[in-house]
PDB file of all heavy atoms in Angstrom:
ATOM      1  N   THR Y  76      76.640 -70.472-109.105  1.00 82.00           N
ATOM      2  CA  THR Y  76      77.329 -70.961-107.906  1.00 82.00           C
ATOM      3  C   THR Y  76      78.634 -71.690-108.227  1.00 82.00           C
ATOM      4  O   THR Y  76      79.304 -72.162-107.314  1.00 82.00           O
ATOM      5  CB  THR Y  76      76.405 -71.897-107.107  1.00 82.00           C
ATOM      6  OG1 THR Y  76      75.931 -72.935-107.968  1.00 82.00           O
ATOM      7  CG2 THR Y  76      75.229 -71.125-106.535  1.00 82.00           C
ATOM      8  N   ARG Y  77      79.010 -71.761-109.469  1.00 82.00           N
ATOM      9  CA  ARG Y  77      80.286 -72.391-109.841  1.00 82.00           C
ATOM     10  C   ARG Y  77      81.455 -71.417-109.762  1.00 82.00           C
ATOM     11  O   ARG Y  77      82.606 -71.832-109.819  1.00 82.00           O
ATOM     12  CB  ARG Y  77      80.205 -72.954-111.257  1.00 82.00           C
ATOM     13  CG  ARG Y  77      79.209 -74.066-111.396  1.00 82.00           C
ATOM     14  CD  ARG Y  77      79.188 -74.594-112.799  1.00 82.00           C
ATOM     15  NE  ARG Y  77      78.152 -75.606-112.930  1.00 82.00           N
ATOM     16  CZ  ARG Y  77      77.673 -76.022-114.067  1.00 82.00           C
ATOM     17  NH1 ARG Y  77      78.140 -75.513-115.201  1.00 82.00           N
ATOM     18  NH2 ARG Y  77      76.738 -76.938-114.100  1.00 82.00           N
ATOM     19  N   ILE Y  78      81.160 -70.157-109.628  1.00 79.00           N
ATOM     20  CA  ILE Y  78      82.191 -69.123-109.592  1.00 79.00           C
ATOM     21  C   ILE Y  78      82.609 -68.887-108.134  1.00 79.00           C
ATOM     22  O   ILE Y  78      81.762 -68.688-107.269  1.00 79.00           O
ATOM     23  CB  ILE Y  78      81.657 -67.807-110.203  1.00 79.00           C
ATOM     24  CG1 ILE Y  78      81.101 -68.045-111.613  1.00 79.00           C
ATOM     25  CG2 ILE Y  78      82.723 -66.721-110.204  1.00 79.00           C
ATOM     26  CD1 ILE Y  78      82.120 -68.518-112.608  1.00 79.00           C
ATOM     27  N   PRO Y  79      83.914 -68.919-107.836  1.00 77.00           N
ATOM     28  CA  PRO Y  79      84.369 -68.728-106.450  1.00 77.00           C
ATOM     29  C   PRO Y  79      83.923 -67.401-105.833  1.00 77.00           C
ATOM     30  O   PRO Y  79      83.595 -67.339-104.655  1.00 77.00           O
ATOM     31  CB  PRO Y  79      85.895 -68.789-106.548  1.00 77.00           C
ATOM     32  CG  PRO Y  79      86.176 -69.500-107.810  1.00 77.00           C
ATOM     33  CD  PRO Y  79      85.027 -69.230-108.734  1.00 77.00           C
ATOM     34  N   TYR Y  80      83.891 -66.332-106.633  1.00 74.00           N
ATOM     35  CA  TYR Y  80      83.456 -65.023-106.137  1.00 74.00           C
ATOM     36  C   TYR Y  80      82.015 -65.090-105.616  1.00 74.00           C
ATOM     37  O   TYR Y  80      81.696 -64.531-104.570  1.00 74.00           O
ATOM     38  CB  TYR Y  80      83.585 -63.994-107.258  1.00 74.00           C
ATOM     39  CG  TYR Y  80      82.928 -62.670-106.983  1.00 74.00           C
ATOM     40  CD1 TYR Y  80      83.489 -61.771-106.086  1.00 74.00           C
ATOM     41  CD2 TYR Y  80      81.735 -62.308-107.606  1.00 74.00           C
ATOM     42  CE1 TYR Y  80      82.894 -60.555-105.821  1.00 74.00           C
ATOM     43  CE2 TYR Y  80      81.133 -61.100-107.343  1.00 74.00           C
ATOM     44  CZ  TYR Y  80      81.712 -60.232-106.456  1.00 74.00           C
ATOM     45  OH  TYR Y  80      81.107 -59.032-106.190  1.00 74.00           O
ATOM     46  N   VAL Y  81      81.165 -65.789-106.335  1.00 74.00           N
ATOM     47  CA  VAL Y  81      79.761 -65.911-105.941  1.00 74.00           C
ATOM     48  C   VAL Y  81      79.634 -66.769-104.688  1.00 74.00           C
ATOM     49  O   VAL Y  81      78.842 -66.459-103.791  1.00 74.00           O
ATOM     50  CB  VAL Y  81      78.918 -66.482-107.102  1.00 74.00           C
ATOM     51  CG1 VAL Y  81      77.496 -66.765-106.658  1.00 74.00           C
ATOM     52  CG2 VAL Y  81      78.933 -65.529-108.277  1.00 74.00           C
ATOM     53  N   LYS Y  82      80.420 -67.827-104.602  1.00 73.00           N
ATOM     54  CA  LYS Y  82      80.399 -68.657-103.397  1.00 73.00           C
ATOM     55  C   LYS Y  82      80.777 -67.832-102.172  1.00 73.00           C
ATOM     56  O   LYS Y  82      80.166 -67.956-101.110  1.00 73.00           O
ATOM     57  CB  LYS Y  82      81.362 -69.839-103.547  1.00 73.00           C
ATOM     58  CG  LYS Y  82      80.894 -70.883-104.524  1.00 73.00           C
ATOM     59  CD  LYS Y  82      81.898 -72.007-104.625  1.00 73.00           C
ATOM     60  CE  LYS Y  82      81.478 -73.025-105.662  1.00 73.00           C
ATOM     61  NZ  LYS Y  82      82.453 -74.110-105.806  1.00 73.00           N
ATOM     62  N   GLN Y  83      81.776 -66.976-102.321  1.00 77.00           N
ATOM     63  CA  GLN Y  83      82.187 -66.125-101.213  1.00 77.00           C
ATOM     64  C   GLN Y  83      81.092 -65.123-100.854  1.00 77.00           C
ATOM     65  O   GLN Y  83      80.851 -64.845 -99.681  1.00 77.00           O
ATOM     66  CB  GLN Y  83      83.491 -65.395-101.552  1.00 77.00           C
ATOM     67  CG  GLN Y  83      84.048 -64.587-100.408  1.00 77.00           C
ATOM     68  CD  GLN Y  83      84.398 -65.451 -99.208  1.00 77.00           C
ATOM     69  OE1 GLN Y  83      84.974 -66.524 -99.351  1.00 77.00           O
ATOM     70  NE2 GLN Y  83      84.037 -64.995 -98.024  1.00 77.00           N
ATOM     71  N   LEU Y  84      80.418 -64.569-101.868  1.00 74.00           N
ATOM     72  CA  LEU Y  84      79.305 -63.651-101.608  1.00 74.00           C
ATOM     73  C   LEU Y  84      78.203 -64.335-100.809  1.00 74.00           C
ATOM     74  O   LEU Y  84      77.653 -63.755 -99.868  1.00 74.00           O
ATOM     75  CB  LEU Y  84      78.719 -63.150-102.925  1.00 74.00           C
ATOM     76  CG  LEU Y  84      79.290 -61.895-103.525  1.00 74.00           C
ATOM     77  CD1 LEU Y  84      78.617 -61.596-104.853  1.00 74.00           C
ATOM     78  CD2 LEU Y  84      79.159 -60.725-102.598  1.00 74.00           C
ATOM     79  N   LEU Y  85      77.870 -65.563-101.188  1.00 71.00           N
ATOM     80  CA  LEU Y  85      76.830 -66.304-100.476  1.00 71.00           C
ATOM     81  C   LEU Y  85      77.212 -66.514 -99.018  1.00 71.00           C
ATOM     82  O   LEU Y  85      76.388 -66.358 -98.116  1.00 71.00           O
ATOM     83  CB  LEU Y  85      76.569 -67.649-101.163  1.00 71.00           C
ATOM     84  CG  LEU Y  85      75.898 -67.585-102.528  1.00 71.00           C
ATOM     85  CD1 LEU Y  85      75.872 -68.967-103.175  1.00 71.00           C
ATOM     86  CD2 LEU Y  85      74.502 -67.017-102.411  1.00 71.00           C
ATOM     87  N   ILE Y  86      78.471 -66.849 -98.781  1.00 73.00           N
ATOM     88  CA  ILE Y  86      78.943 -67.042 -97.406  1.00 73.00           C
ATOM     89  C   ILE Y  86      78.862 -65.722 -96.635  1.00 73.00           C
ATOM     90  O   ILE Y  86      78.406 -65.695 -95.489  1.00 73.00           O
ATOM     91  CB  ILE Y  86      80.379 -67.598 -97.401  1.00 73.00           C
ATOM     92  CG1 ILE Y  86      80.376 -69.027 -97.945  1.00 73.00           C
ATOM     93  CG2 ILE Y  86      80.989 -67.540 -96.015  1.00 73.00           C
ATOM     94  CD1 ILE Y  86      81.756 -69.582 -98.212  1.00 73.00           C
ATOM     95  N   ASP Y  87      79.290 -64.632 -97.261  1.00 73.00           N
ATOM     96  CA  ASP Y  87      79.251 -63.328 -96.598  1.00 73.00           C
ATOM     97  C   ASP Y  87      77.824 -62.908 -96.254  1.00 73.00           C
ATOM     98  O   ASP Y  87      77.556 -62.420 -95.152  1.00 73.00           O
ATOM     99  CB  ASP Y  87      79.900 -62.255 -97.471  1.00 73.00           C
ATOM    100  CG  ASP Y  87      81.395 -62.446 -97.621  1.00 73.00           C
ATOM    101  OD1 ASP Y  87      81.982 -63.204 -96.817  1.00 73.00           O
ATOM    102  OD2 ASP Y  87      81.969 -61.847 -98.550  1.00 73.00           O
ATOM    103  N   PHE Y  88      76.895 -63.100 -97.198  1.00 72.00           N
ATOM    104  CA  PHE Y  88      75.504 -62.730 -96.954  1.00 72.00           C
ATOM    105  C   PHE Y  88      74.906 -63.566 -95.827  1.00 72.00           C
ATOM    106  O   PHE Y  88      74.167 -63.070 -94.988  1.00 72.00           O
ATOM    107  CB  PHE Y  88      74.665 -62.880 -98.215  1.00 72.00           C
ATOM    108  CG  PHE Y  88      74.952 -61.842 -99.265  1.00 72.00           C
ATOM    109  CD1 PHE Y  88      74.725 -62.116-100.595  1.00 72.00           C
ATOM    110  CD2 PHE Y  88      75.447 -60.587 -98.943  1.00 72.00           C
ATOM    111  CE1 PHE Y  88      74.975 -61.163-101.580  1.00 72.00           C
ATOM    112  CE2 PHE Y  88      75.706 -59.636 -99.904  1.00 72.00           C
ATOM    113  CZ  PHE Y  88      75.461 -59.931-101.231  1.00 72.00           C
ATOM    114  N   ARG Y  89      75.217 -64.850 -95.802  1.00 72.00           N
ATOM    115  CA  ARG Y  89      74.687 -65.715 -94.742  1.00 72.00           C
ATOM    116  C   ARG Y  89      75.258 -65.328 -93.383  1.00 72.00           C
ATOM    117  O   ARG Y  89      74.551 -65.363 -92.379  1.00 72.00           O
ATOM    118  CB  ARG Y  89      74.984 -67.174 -95.054  1.00 72.00           C
ATOM    119  CG  ARG Y  89      74.134 -67.700 -96.183  1.00 72.00           C
ATOM    120  CD  ARG Y  89      74.352 -69.163 -96.445  1.00 72.00           C
ATOM    121  NE  ARG Y  89      73.628 -69.561 -97.634  1.00 72.00           N
ATOM    122  CZ  ARG Y  89      74.110 -70.318 -98.591  1.00 72.00           C
ATOM    123  NH1 ARG Y  89      75.342 -70.807 -98.487  1.00 72.00           N
ATOM    124  NH2 ARG Y  89      73.383 -70.626 -99.638  1.00 72.00           N
ATOM    125  N   ASN Y  90      76.533 -64.968 -93.338  1.00 70.00           N
ATOM    126  CA  ASN Y  90      77.140 -64.532 -92.076  1.00 70.00           C
ATOM    127  C   ASN Y  90      76.500 -63.247 -91.568  1.00 70.00           C
ATOM    128  O   ASN Y  90      76.243 -63.103 -90.373  1.00 70.00           O
ATOM    129  CB  ASN Y  90      78.644 -64.342 -92.229  1.00 70.00           C
ATOM    130  CG  ASN Y  90      79.397 -65.652 -92.324  1.00 70.00           C
ATOM    131  OD1 ASN Y  90      78.874 -66.698 -91.949  1.00 70.00           O
ATOM    132  ND2 ASN Y  90      80.596 -65.595 -92.840  1.00 70.00           N
ATOM    133  N   GLU Y  91      76.227 -62.314 -92.468  1.00 70.00           N
ATOM    134  CA  GLU Y  91      75.590 -61.062 -92.073  1.00 70.00           C
ATOM    135  C   GLU Y  91      74.187 -61.311 -91.534  1.00 70.00           C
ATOM    136  O   GLU Y  91      73.776 -60.721 -90.546  1.00 70.00           O
ATOM    137  CB  GLU Y  91      75.528 -60.096 -93.257  1.00 70.00           C
ATOM    138  CG  GLU Y  91      76.849 -59.479 -93.614  1.00 70.00           C
ATOM    139  CD  GLU Y  91      76.755 -58.577 -94.827  1.00 70.00           C
ATOM    140  OE1 GLU Y  91      75.623 -58.225 -95.226  1.00 70.00           O
ATOM    141  OE2 GLU Y  91      77.803 -58.222 -95.368  1.00 70.00           O
TER     142      GLU Y  91
END
Side-chain angles (χ1 to χ4, degrees):
T76 54
R77 296 181 184 163
I78 306 297
Y80 169 74
V81 173
K82 289 180 183 178
Q83 185 62 43
L84 270 178
L85 291 172
I86 292 170
D87 292 343
F88 288 153
R89 288 184 187 135
N90 287 342
E91 286 177 14

